[in-house]
Every structure is written in C-alpha cells, then in structure tokens.
Amino acid sequence: MADRLRPPARAVTGGSSPRTSTVTLANWQDAPFNRWAFQHVRELIPGARIARRAGRVRALPRAEQELGGVSFSFEGRELTVAELLEDSYTDGFLVLHRGRVVAERYFNGMTPDTPHLLMSVSKSVTAAVAGVLAGRGLLDAGAELSRIVPELGTTPFAGATVQELLDMRTGTRFNEDYDDPAADVRTYERVYLWRPPGDAPGTSAGPAAGDALAYFGTLANDGRHGGPFRYRSILTDVLAWVIERAAGERLHELIARELWQPMGAEFDAEITVDGRGNPMADGGISATLRDIARFGQLYLRRGRSGRRQVVPAWWVDDTVRGAPDGARAFTEGDNPAGYPTGTHYRNCWWVRDPALPFFYASGINGQHVFVHGPSQTVVAKLSTWPQAWSEDLYGQTVAAAYAIAATLAAS
C-alpha cells in the first residue's frame, strides 16, 4: 500500500534531542528516548498518511504578544508560563486568540512542519469524525455496536452502544497502569506494534499480535455497559472499527477528507497501524502544532472553519453539555479527584467547566489542546514528559491555560 510508512530495520539514533541516544521499539516511549521519538514515530512504527489538501490552507493571522511573564498559582507556588515551558519538557506551544496566533514557540528541535505524537488527543480527533458521520446520518451514536459491526455481537462488547464507547462507559475490563509491564495497556501496545513481541517479563504477544480486531474479542467485562466513566484507551480503537464499517472507508482517509482538509490543515498528519492496517485511533496520530491548534479552533467555533460547517454544531454542543448523568458518572468513576463539580467526559473530550465552556483534549506525556470559550482562546502544548502521567505537571498546565485565557480576555 503506497501510503504505508515502513519502520526501519535497524535502531535509530536520535539527532534532534539534546540527549542523543539510540532509540528502539523497546525504549522509544521512555525518557530520554521519547524526546526524539515523539517527533519521528514514522521511523519506528508502520503508519498511514492523513493527507492535507494542497493550496487550501486555512491562514492563521498573527498578533503576537509576550505571554511568558503571565503568572499563575498552583498548590501554593507562583509560576510563570515561561517557567512552565522550560520545566515541563515542552516541544511546542501555540496560543490562538480570536483566531490569531499570539504565541508560538518550539523546543527540542521541533519546527513548524514537524509531526509530533498526539497520544490521546488522537481520541478527540477520532470522535470528531464520528460526529461528522452522525451529522450525515451514517452513524447513530445510540445504536448497539453489533448493529454496525456484527462481529462484536459475540464479544464482551455485545449490548454496548457507540455513545458508550465515546464516553468511556462500557463495562470493559482494561488495566491502563503504565507502570505495570503486564498491564492490558502494554499487551495492546504489542498488538499495535508499539512494542516488540514478548518484551515484558513472563509475557508474550499472544495469538492476536498484529491484529487488533482479533484482540478485541479476547477482552472481558467487569461491569455493566452504561455504567460509570472509566478511562480505557482500547474503547476508541473499537470505535475506529465501528466508524470504518459505518462509512465503508479507512479511518485515515476519513480524517483527511472529513476533517483535515476542510479545516484547512497546513501539513499532512499520520496515524500508526497494526500489521493488518488497523489504526491505533486512541493515541497513534502525529500532527504539527499549528494543525492541532486549528483543530482546537474548530471546536471553539462550534465546528466551523471559515464559512464551512465541518463538525455539526449540535455535536460540539452535545460534547460540552454532556449526558444527563454525565457529571454523576464521572464522579462515580475511577478518576474524579481534583476536578470541579460538573466535570464530565463526553465524545472523547474532558469538559472541565461546561458553563463557560472550558474543555480540552488530553494525552499522556503532556499533550493538550485547551478550548476556553469566553476569551476565545485555544492553547496547544505538545511535550515529552519523562513519565506517562504527572499530576503536578498536568495541574500546572491547566492552571497556566486558565491564566493565559484570563490575560487575553482582558487585552
């Protein structure tokens, strides 16, 4: 297939990171190797191209301001945006205010045309495609999965709905502890060719290696479908199968035609695939900083890019509003600590304050796209934290986004 990007047969030597090291499939997600690898995923893992449309770039006017001195408080400490960028392994930072670039900075060898791994921001991109299909009547979010993909009727996903995948509310058991080498999240990484077969002590890739669709059937349930919010990345990969079956096309083609091109992306993006071409929709997209900021701007404008309605406005509104029991499901789930009342997870977005609104796409190792409605601000930050998750760095980043929005609202 012409759009397949093949991994190299040998180890890759990092050249853009100040801590140059040999990067392999076994260590690329670990520090310090991730500082190089997150900008060079195509050289490690097979993937498919998400094509932009030549000559149809949505311009980003510039009205730059100095935001480095913006201060914010976090857990009794006073910090500045400049300090956050310096101390949080930043690779790219871009702020849009009323559609204009007010700040754009690159670190660690990243440049405007460098694709950077989005990790779970990929979920929000995938969900946007689901919204486009729903707006066209090609996908019913309330439908049971087996109506669209009959093969799922003989798996633990039988009886679950599309919306329950979008909101992380199926009963699927899935251990996403990144510190546990035997966790489900590590097994599925081997299935998706993100790790070598059998790289964890006492484990093997198993019969599903290289075939994500077969792997889905090996999972089990430990709760009811429609229950509390529990974050499990694998659900977005099941969603990708449903999307592809509903549309009759591959996910990377759909993202390109229904999202990337109409929003005026400046550069191609990429998505990793398994040995049979199944996309890792939950975390495998790499894109440039400017284009992921354009994606945030699309949601800020309720799905519009210029005069074109790309994502249905009602889909964006539903994302912000959430399910009637969405806030309760979030509180009863496994990740409510530190979030304000009313927070919910809907259509693969974290909605921290639906009244403003303030919501964001988020991925491990420090990938974020914040949308702040009242100030008309989008903050995009791509990073390579040395660990998958840091409550401290996450909290600082959220606080900084609020402070930037407040500063711009007053300008």
Side-chain angles (χ1 to χ4, degrees):
M1 295 162 49
D3 60 358
R4 187 69 61 82
L5 304 172
R6 298 292 183 185
R10 58 182 177 81
V12 180
T13 301
S16 67
S17 171
R19 294 179 285 183
T20 303
S21 302
T22 299
V23 182
T24 70
L25 199 60
N27 67 21
W28 72 276
Q29 295 185 69
D30 304 326
F33 312 108
N34 63 343
R35 299 233 74 196
W36 181 89
F38 280 25
Q39 298 179 45
H40 297 265
V41 174
R42 70 175 74 178
E43 299 174 51
L44 297 163
I45 305 167
R49 174 188 176 213
I50 298 170
R52 68 181 179 95
R53 179 176 295 161
R56 297 289 185 90
V57 175
R58 173 66 56 188
L60 294 176
R62 308 189 74 88
E64 297 192 41
Q65 300 184 34
E66 175 50 57
L67 298 180
V70 173
S71 63
F72 60 94
S73 299
F74 178 73
E75 293 190 345
R77 289 177 285 166
E78 287 293 323
L79 301 165
T80 66
V81 168
E83 289 170 334
L84 172 71
L85 298 181
E86 181 68 26
D87 297 339
S88 61
Y89 304 87
T90 306
D91 296 327
F93 173 73
L94 193 151
V95 180
L96 296 177
H97 181 229
R98 298 174 182 165
R100 298 175 181 270
V101 177
V102 295
E104 182 176 9
R105 295 190 62 189
Y106 295 92
F107 307 81
N108 187 35
M110 189 172 174
T111 61
D113 63 349
T114 304
H116 189 289
L117 187 62
L118 302 183
M119 287 297 192
S120 288
V121 174
S122 306
K123 294 179 173 68
S124 306
V125 174
T126 300
V129 175
V132 172
L133 297 182
R136 297 224 180 115
L138 298 175
L139 182 67
D140 177 3
E144 290 193 6
L145 305 180
S146 59
R147 276 181 46 196
I148 304 166
V149 182
E151 297 93 319
L152 289 170
T154 59
T155 73
F157 291 97
T161 67
V162 177
Q163 191 67 64
E164 287 162 356
L165 293 179
L166 286 159
D167 297 351
M168 301 281 183
R169 294 183 64 179
T170 71
T172 313
R173 182 177 67 212
F174 192 79
N175 179 357
E176 200 150 336
D177 181 357
Y178 288 91
D179 294 325
D180 180 358
D184 295 311
V185 71
R186 294 311 189 192
T187 299
Y188 105 118
E189 287 178 342
R190 291 190 288 276
V191 170
Y192 276 103
L193 309 182
W194 277 40
R195 288 184 181 271
D199 71 324
T203 67
S204 64
D211 185 357
L213 306 189
Y215 174 68
F216 299 153
T218 71
L219 300 174
N221 292 332
D222 60 358
R224 65 179 179 87
H225 298 317
F229 163 77
R230 292 185 297 153
Y231 193 84
R232 290 144 298 166
S233 288
I234 198 68
L235 302 188
T236 310
D237 299 303
V238 178
L239 175 67
W241 189 11
V242 173
I243 287 172
E244 290 191 334
R245 185 65 63 84
E249 293 185 74
R250 297 179 66 191
L251 182 65
H252 70 277
E253 296 168 337
L254 291 165
I255 296 173
R257 190 185 68 241
E258 305 294 354
L259 190 65
W260 226 240
Q261 293 171 9
M263 81 175 190
E266 189 174 354
F267 302 99
D268 290 346
E270 309 156 2
I271 187 168
T272 68
V273 296
D274 73 3
R276 297 193 178 184
N278 300 307
M280 194 193 209
D282 78 88
I285 296 176
S286 292
T288 65
L289 180 65
R290 289 178 184 171
D291 284 336
I292 203 59
R294 284 182 173 92
F295 176 66
Q297 182 72 12
L298 188 69
Y299 267 73
L300 176 65
R301 298 195 64 220
R302 297 178 63 233
R304 291 186 67 84
S305 179
R307 296 182 179 179
R308 181 168 181 175
Q309 192 72 45
V310 179
V311 179
W314 64 261
W315 181 268
V316 179
D317 293 344
D318 175 76
T319 299
V320 172
R321 182 174 57 250
D325 63 342
R328 178 174 59 81
F330 190 91
T331 301
E332 293 176 353
D334 59 0
N335 195 16
Y339 292 90
T341 301
T343 297
H344 61 264
Y345 187 89
R346 182 70 162 180
N347 298 334
C348 297
W349 285 83
W350 300 82
V351 184
R352 193 175 183 95
D353 189 337
L356 283 177
F358 177 61
F359 57 105
Y360 47 90
S362 181
I364 59 171
N365 299 98
Q367 324 316 320
H368 292 99
V369 180
F370 297 96
V371 179
H372 189 271
S375 66
Q376 297 291 288
T377 298
V378 173
V379 179
K381 186 177 187 295
L382 301 176
S383 316
T384 34
W385 295 351
Q387 65 272 68
W389 192 251
S390 165
E391 285 293 335
D392 189 61
L393 292 179
Y394 162 73
Q396 290 180 36
T397 306
V398 172
Y402 270 121
I404 290 168
T407 298
L408 293 174
S411 65

